[in-house]
Amino acid sequence: MNYKEAREYITEKEKLGSVMGLDTIRELLDRLGNPETQAPVIHIAGTNGKGSILAFVEETLVEAGMNVGRYISPTIYSYRERWRHNKTWVSSSEASEAISAVAEKAEEMVAEGLSSPTAFEIETAAAFWLFRKWNCDIILVECGMGGRLDATNVFDDGTKTINVLASISYDHMAVLGDTLEKITNEKLGIVRDGSVLISYPQCEEVSEIVENYVNQHQVTFIRTQKDELDIKVENVRGAAFTYKGKDYRISVGGEYQILNAITAIEVLKAAGEFLKADISDEVISNGLMNTAWDGRFTVAHIDPLVVIDGAHNEDAWLRLRESVDKYFPNEKLVYIMGVFADKEYDKMIDILAPTMDVCYTVRSKNPRALSPEELSSKLRKKGVEARSVGDVKLAIDWALDKAKPETKIIICGTLSITGTALKYLGRLK
């Protein structure tokens, strides 16, 4: 297959939807020679912050001279972005080569009467195929949805695995469960005996569940110590802080990113011991400072100030509200917003509406998108001046045209509109 054919193949497999379970992915990987076993792994599950934590880790490991593979989802710029080698997206030719190799085995399974692998299972297997081809020293793998039955949950050798729990909160309740206990236990399903587990500073309820789990299993548990964090400076462009007596800086805004950063520090310390590698405090400091992670409280334009945040569930909306209140206190802001119909967008409106002056509602290309007209209607019922625009670029043009020097513009609601907004604003600079 060429790249166009590979994308068409994946599009066809997307019709299968999401199928939770590990039998099909294990069969597929076995036919590929189990490429997932070739390198140590940092495997991360959680509701919010997975991408940010791995971005800090990836930048630092590459800074330390390691050969690093990374698999992420969803993406905001390009389909190829999900497979990264030393921070660089896979090429079109290598992506098509990997998908072709996996598709051959997938179609063998179908011909033998077995279940067809889904698009996500094929993409996950392609990641491991690429990591083996690249001869990676370590691989960074982000769970898709959940953990226990996620297609990435195939790392059975706990001695070669560092597990990470990012912030856990409510999302995908129809699949993962309607309580924090159920959701947390699904996420903990990635943790094998003999492995290392590092956790973001969780809420009390989640922390107790994690503590109970590690007490019942042979797991080396490393707690991120929020009480050893001292924030020196924090603003929309980043922060300076001290953690366990060491000074660090990050170049991304949002207090939650500081917590993601200290989680990454613990991961990197553990990885140094794990790999018998020299990951010094200086290397970690440089890695954190140089990390950029687009679409997560990203300053995309200066005059007027435009911030893009991919917050797409209740906890992320709360974190966004905290940042807005801290950086822009008592200001009414201009929003550009699009949401998915299957998200709890009423909660998002309740959380963010008090900070809104006007909101331009837009629709992403994703078929799950809520109509801009319906979102505007919901906002108007909360007293917000809301205007249905539809197109993200048109909404940006309108907002910039009407902006005053002191105007602040927030683009949010889902990651599916952030890539479009970032690319468009990049062309306007």
Side-chain angles (χ1 to χ4, degrees):
M1 293 184 224
N2 58 31
Y3 184 67
K4 180 176 180 293
E5 291 166 338
R7 291 290 288 115
E8 289 171 348
Y9 177 78
I10 291 295
T11 299
E12 186 64 27
K13 291 298 183 183
E14 285 173 348
K15 296 176 182 178
L16 298 172
S18 296
V19 179
M20 306 302 285
L22 300 176
D23 290 345
T24 300
I25 184 67
R26 287 189 181 279
E27 176 68 25
L28 181 58
L29 291 171
D30 186 59
R31 291 172 183 243
L32 289 165
N34 295 109
E36 78 282 3
T37 65
Q38 302 305 304
V41 61
I42 296 174
H43 192 199
I44 188 166
T47 308
N48 294 310
K50 298 189 295 292
S52 296
I53 292 169
L54 284 194
F56 287 124
V57 171
E58 178 188 35
E59 182 74 38
T60 306
L61 292 178
V62 173
E63 176 100 11
M66 294 187 183
N67 185 14
V68 182
R70 181 177 173 195
Y71 176 50
I72 64 171
S73 63
T75 61
I76 63 173
Y77 289 119
S78 165
Y79 179 75
R80 294 184 291 113
E81 188 182 349
R82 67 197 61 224
W83 304 288
R84 291 162 62 108
H85 183 210
N86 293 333
K87 303 191 301 177
T88 300
W89 302 350
V90 70
S91 66
S92 297
S93 60
E94 279 195 309
S96 56
E97 183 184 9
I99 292 172
S100 296
V102 175
E104 179 182 350
K105 302 302 180 182
E107 295 314 307
E108 283 180 5
M109 292 170 59
V110 173
E112 293 172 20
L114 300 175
S115 296
S116 172
T118 64
F120 184 64
E121 288 168 334
I122 291 166
E123 290 162 348
T124 300
F128 300 137
W129 188 92
L130 286 164
F131 297 154
R132 181 172 61 187
K133 178 184 179 184
W134 294 332
N135 195 29
C136 293
D137 298 323
I138 189 165
I139 60 176
L140 314 180
V141 177
E142 181 180 322
C143 280
M145 179 171 57
R148 182 176 62 92
L149 297 177
D150 188 83
T152 64
N153 190 24
V154 291
F155 306 110
D156 295 326
D157 186 352
T159 64
K160 294 178 66 176
T161 308
I162 294 176
N163 304 287
V164 186
L165 288 183
S167 174
I168 294 176
S169 58
Y170 291 99
D171 202 5
H172 302 297
M173 283 90 80
V175 176
L176 305 181
D178 57 0
T179 67
L180 277 181
E181 181 179 10
K182 291 176 182 177
I183 294 169
T184 303
N185 282 323
E186 285 296 317
K187 308 293 186 184
L188 283 166
I190 70 171
V191 182
R192 307 288 199 276
D193 282 359
S195 66
V196 174
L197 172 62
I198 298 164
S199 179
Y200 174 98
Q202 307 286 353
C203 69
E204 184 176 352
E205 182 179 353
V206 172
S207 293
E208 289 179 0
I209 297 165
V210 174
E211 291 276 0
N212 289 337
Y213 184 91
V214 298
N215 288 337
Q216 296 170 20
H217 293 81
Q218 296 176 343
V219 176
T220 300
F221 184 39
I222 299 172
R223 299 166 180 81
T224 302
Q225 304 289 342
K226 190 177 178 181
D227 58 353
E228 294 199 45
L229 169 67
D230 182 15
I231 300 172
K232 304 295 187 182
V233 178
E234 181 190 354
N235 57 45
V236 70
R237 303 303 295 269
F241 61 91
T242 299
Y243 182 63
K244 292 186 174 180
K246 302 289 184 182
D247 293 331
Y248 302 96
R249 296 183 67 87
I250 58 174
S251 302
V252 288
E255 182 178 356
Y256 63 93
Q257 292 292 19
I258 302 173
L259 299 181
N260 287 332
I262 66 173
T263 306
I265 291 169
E266 296 291 2
V267 173
L268 289 161
K269 294 284 189 182
E273 295 182 15
F274 192 61
L275 298 169
K276 303 293 189 293
D278 182 18
I279 305 176
S280 66
D281 291 324
E282 182 181 2
V283 168
I284 294 175
S285 180
N286 289 339
L288 297 188
M289 182 63 188
N290 293 331
T291 298
W293 191 228
D294 288 348
R296 283 73 173 179
F297 213 83
T298 300
V299 176
H301 196 271
I302 299 297
D303 186 17
L305 185 71
V306 180
V307 173
I308 299 179
D309 193 282
H312 58 283
N313 54 46
E314 182 180 2
D315 185 64
W317 296 323
L318 287 168
R319 300 292 82 76
L320 175 58
R321 173 65 187 271
E322 288 174 1
S323 296
V324 166
D325 288 346
K326 179 175 289 186
Y327 303 141
F328 317 122
N330 303 315
E331 294 189 49
K332 290 290 190 177
L333 312 176
V334 175
Y335 279 77
I336 297 171
M337 183 180 293
V339 298
F340 284 171
D342 56 1
K343 294 291 184 178
E344 294 182 297
Y345 52 83
D346 284 327
K347 291 183 177 179
M348 178 203 67
I349 292 170
D350 288 340
I351 292 164
L352 296 177
T355 70
M356 294 180 180
D357 179 32
V358 62
C359 182
Y360 300 103
T361 61
V362 299
R363 183 199 299 270
S364 75
K365 295 178 181 178
N366 193 295
R368 294 160 56 198
L370 184 73
S371 76
E373 294 79 14
E374 185 171 354
L375 181 55
S376 284
S377 175
K378 297 272 188 183
L379 286 162
R380 283 193 287 269
K381 289 177 182 178
K382 293 292 182 178
V384 176
E385 181 186 346
R387 303 174 187 174
S388 172
V389 179
D391 182 70
V392 177
K393 297 175 186 177
L394 180 59
I396 291 172
D397 287 341
W398 281 19
L400 292 177
D401 183 61
K402 296 178 182 299
K404 300 175 182 178
E406 67 274 14
T407 298
K408 314 296 191 304
I409 300 169
I410 308 290
I411 303 176
C412 67
T414 173
L415 283 171
S416 66
I417 66 172
T418 57
T420 300
L422 284 163
K423 284 187 280 190
Y424 188 60
L425 283 163
R427 288 196 290 268
L428 293 179
K429 289 181 180 179

CSV table of all heavy atoms in Angstrom, one decimal, residues 142-168:
chain,number,residue,atom,x,y,z
A,142,GLU,N,0.9,5.6,25.2
A,142,GLU,CA,-0.3,6.3,25.9
A,142,GLU,C,-1.5,5.4,25.6
A,142,GLU,O,-1.8,5.0,24.5
A,142,GLU,CB,-0.5,7.6,25.2
A,142,GLU,CG,-1.6,8.4,25.8
A,142,GLU,CD,-1.8,9.8,25.1
A,142,GLU,OE1,-0.7,10.4,24.8
A,142,GLU,OE2,-2.9,10.2,24.9
A,143,CYS,N,-2.2,5.0,26.7
A,143,CYS,CA,-3.4,4.3,26.6
A,143,CYS,C,-4.4,5.1,25.8
A,143,CYS,O,-4.5,6.3,25.9
A,143,CYS,CB,-4.0,4.0,28.0
A,143,CYS,SG,-3.3,2.6,28.9
A,144,GLY,N,-5.3,4.4,25.1
A,144,GLY,CA,-6.3,5.1,24.4
A,144,GLY,C,-7.5,5.4,25.3
A,144,GLY,O,-7.5,6.5,25.9
A,145,MET,N,-8.3,4.5,25.6
A,145,MET,CA,-9.4,4.7,26.6
A,145,MET,C,-9.4,3.6,27.6
A,145,MET,O,-9.3,2.4,27.3
A,145,MET,CB,-10.8,4.6,25.9
A,145,MET,CG,-12.0,4.8,26.8
A,145,MET,SD,-13.5,5.0,25.8
A,145,MET,CE,-13.6,3.5,24.9
A,146,GLY,N,-9.3,4.0,28.9
A,146,GLY,CA,-9.3,3.0,30.0
A,146,GLY,C,-7.9,2.6,30.2
A,146,GLY,O,-7.0,3.3,30.4
A,147,GLY,N,-7.7,1.3,30.3
A,147,GLY,CA,-6.4,0.7,30.6
A,147,GLY,C,-6.5,-0.8,30.6
A,147,GLY,O,-5.8,-1.5,29.8
A,148,ARG,N,-7.3,-1.4,31.5
A,148,ARG,CA,-7.3,-2.9,31.6
A,148,ARG,C,-7.6,-3.6,30.3
A,148,ARG,O,-6.9,-4.6,29.9
A,148,ARG,CB,-8.4,-3.2,32.6
A,148,ARG,CG,-8.5,-4.7,32.9
A,148,ARG,CD,-9.6,-5.0,34.0
A,148,ARG,NE,-10.9,-4.5,33.6
A,148,ARG,CZ,-11.8,-5.3,33.0
A,148,ARG,NH1,-11.5,-6.6,32.7
A,148,ARG,NH2,-13.0,-4.8,32.7
A,149,LEU,N,-8.5,-3.1,29.5
A,149,LEU,CA,-8.9,-3.7,28.2
A,149,LEU,C,-8.5,-2.9,27.0
A,149,LEU,O,-8.9,-3.2,25.9
A,149,LEU,CB,-10.4,-4.0,28.2
A,149,LEU,CG,-11.0,-4.9,29.3
A,149,LEU,CD1,-12.5,-5.0,29.2
A,149,LEU,CD2,-10.3,-6.3,29.1
A,150,ASP,N,-7.6,-1.9,27.2
A,150,ASP,CA,-7.1,-1.1,26.1
A,150,ASP,C,-6.1,-1.9,25.3
A,150,ASP,O,-5.4,-2.7,25.8
A,150,ASP,CB,-6.4,0.2,26.7
A,150,ASP,CG,-6.1,1.2,25.7
A,150,ASP,OD1,-7.0,1.9,25.3
A,150,ASP,OD2,-4.9,1.1,25.2
A,151,ALA,N,-6.1,-1.6,24.0
A,151,ALA,CA,-5.3,-2.4,23.1
A,151,ALA,C,-3.8,-2.2,23.4
A,151,ALA,O,-3.0,-3.1,23.0
A,151,ALA,CB,-5.6,-2.0,21.7
A,152,THR,N,-3.4,-1.2,24.1
A,152,THR,CA,-2.0,-1.0,24.5
A,152,THR,C,-1.6,-1.8,25.7
A,152,THR,O,-0.4,-1.9,26.0
A,152,THR,CB,-1.7,0.5,24.8
A,152,THR,OG1,-2.4,0.9,26.0
A,152,THR,CG2,-2.1,1.4,23.7
A,153,ASN,N,-2.5,-2.5,26.3
A,153,ASN,CA,-2.2,-3.2,27.6
A,153,ASN,C,-1.7,-4.6,27.3
A,153,ASN,O,-2.3,-5.6,27.7
A,153,ASN,CB,-3.5,-3.2,28.5
A,153,ASN,CG,-3.1,-3.7,29.9
A,153,ASN,OD1,-2.0,-3.6,30.3
A,153,ASN,ND2,-4.1,-4.2,30.6
A,154,VAL,N,-0.5,-4.7,26.7
A,154,VAL,CA,0.0,-6.0,26.3
A,154,VAL,C,1.4,-6.2,26.9
A,154,VAL,O,2.1,-7.1,26.4
A,154,VAL,CB,0.0,-6.1,24.8
A,154,VAL,CG1,-1.4,-6.2,24.2
A,154,VAL,CG2,0.8,-4.9,24.1
A,155,PHE,N,1.8,-5.4,27.9
A,155,PHE,CA,3.2,-5.5,28.4
A,155,PHE,C,3.1,-6.4,29.6
A,155,PHE,O,2.9,-5.9,30.8
A,155,PHE,CB,3.7,-4.1,28.7
A,155,PHE,CG,3.6,-3.1,27.6
A,155,PHE,CD1,2.7,-2.1,27.6
A,155,PHE,CD2,4.4,-3.3,26.5
A,155,PHE,CE1,2.6,-1.2,26.5
A,155,PHE,CE2,4.3,-2.4,25.4
A,155,PHE,CZ,3.4,-1.4,25.4
A,156,ASP,N,3.4,-7.6,29.4
A,156,ASP,CA,3.3,-8.6,30.5
A,156,ASP,C,4.5,-8.7,31.4
A,156,ASP,O,4.4,-9.2,32.5
A,156,ASP,CB,3.0,-10.0,29.9
A,156,ASP,CG,1.6,-10.0,29.2
A,156,ASP,OD1,0.7,-9.3,29.7
A,156,ASP,OD2,1.5,-10.7,28.2
A,157,ASP,N,5.7,-8.3,31.0
A,157,ASP,CA,6.9,-8.3,31.8
A,157,ASP,C,7.0,-7.1,32.6
A,157,ASP,O,7.5,-6.0,32.2
A,157,ASP,CB,8.1,-8.5,30.9
A,157,ASP,CG,9.4,-8.7,31.6
A,157,ASP,OD1,9.3,-8.6,32.9
A,157,ASP,OD2,10.4,-9.0,31.0
A,158,GLY,N,6.5,-7.2,33.9
A,158,GLY,CA,6.6,-6.0,34.7
A,158,GLY,C,7.9,-5.5,35.0
A,158,GLY,O,8.1,-4.3,35.3
A,159,THR,N,9.0,-6.3,34.9
A,159,THR,CA,10.3,-5.9,35.1
A,159,THR,C,10.9,-4.9,34.0
A,159,THR,O,11.9,-4.3,34.2
A,159,THR,CB,11.3,-7.1,35.3
A,159,THR,OG1,11.4,-7.8,34.0
A,159,THR,CG2,10.8,-8.0,36.4
A,160,LYS,N,10.1,-4.9,32.9
A,160,LYS,CA,10.5,-4.0,31.8
A,160,LYS,C,9.6,-2.8,31.7
A,160,LYS,O,9.6,-2.1,30.6
A,160,LYS,CB,10.6,-4.8,30.5
A,160,LYS,CG,11.7,-5.8,30.4
A,160,LYS,CD,11.7,-6.6,29.1
A,160,LYS,CE,12.0,-5.7,28.0
A,160,LYS,NZ,12.1,-6.5,26.7
A,161,THR,N,8.7,-2.5,32.7
A,161,THR,CA,7.7,-1.6,32.5
A,161,THR,C,7.6,-0.6,33.7
A,161,THR,O,7.7,-0.9,34.9
A,161,THR,CB,6.3,-2.3,32.5
A,161,THR,OG1,6.3,-3.3,31.5
A,161,THR,CG2,5.2,-1.3,32.2
A,162,ILE,N,7.6,0.7,33.3
A,162,ILE,CA,7.3,1.8,34.3
A,162,ILE,C,5.8,2.2,33.9
A,162,ILE,O,5.6,2.7,32.8
A,162,ILE,CB,8.2,3.0,34.1
A,162,ILE,CG1,9.6,2.6,34.6
A,162,ILE,CG2,7.7,4.1,35.0
A,162,ILE,CD1,10.7,3.7,34.4
A,163,ASN,N,4.9,2.1,34.8
A,163,ASN,CA,3.6,2.5,34.7
A,163,ASN,C,3.4,3.9,35.3
A,163,ASN,O,3.9,4.2,36.3
A,163,ASN,CB,2.6,1.6,35.3
A,163,ASN,CG,2.8,0.1,34.9
A,163,ASN,OD1,2.4,-0.2,33.7
A,163,ASN,ND2,3.3,-0.7,35.7
A,164,VAL,N,2.5,4.7,34.6
A,164,VAL,CA,2.3,6.1,35.1
A,164,VAL,C,0.7,6.3,35.1
A,164,VAL,O,0.1,5.9,34.1
A,164,VAL,CB,2.9,7.1,34.2
A,164,VAL,CG1,2.7,8.5,34.8
A,164,VAL,CG2,4.4,6.8,34.0
A,165,LEU,N,0.3,6.8,36.2
A,165,LEU,CA,-1.1,7.3,36.3
A,165,LEU,C,-1.2,8.8,36.2
A,165,LEU,O,-0.7,9.5,37.1
A,165,LEU,CB,-1.8,6.8,37.6
A,165,LEU,CG,-2.1,5.3,37.7
A,165,LEU,CD1,-2.8,5.1,39.0
A,165,LEU,CD2,-2.9,4.8,36.5
A,166,ALA,N,-1.7,9.3,35.1
A,166,ALA,CA,-2.0,10.7,35.0
A,166,ALA,C,-3.2,11.0,35.9
A,166,ALA,O,-3.8,10.2,36.5
A,166,ALA,CB,-2.2,11.1,33.6
A,167,SER,N,-3.7,12.3,35.9
A,167,SER,CA,-4.8,12.7,36.6
A,167,SER,C,-6.1,11.8,36.2
A,167,SER,O,-6.3,11.7,35.1
A,167,SER,CB,-5.1,14.2,36.4
A,167,SER,OG,-6.3,14.6,37.0
A,168,ILE,N,-6.7,11.3,37.2
A,168,ILE,CA,-7.9,10.5,37.0
A,168,ILE,C,-9.2,11.2,37.5
A,168,ILE,O,-9.2,11.7,38.6
A,168,ILE,CB,-7.8,9.1,37.7
A,168,ILE,CG1,-6.6,8.3,37.2
A,168,ILE,CG2,-9.1,8.3,37.7
A,168,ILE,CD1,-6.3,7.0,37.9
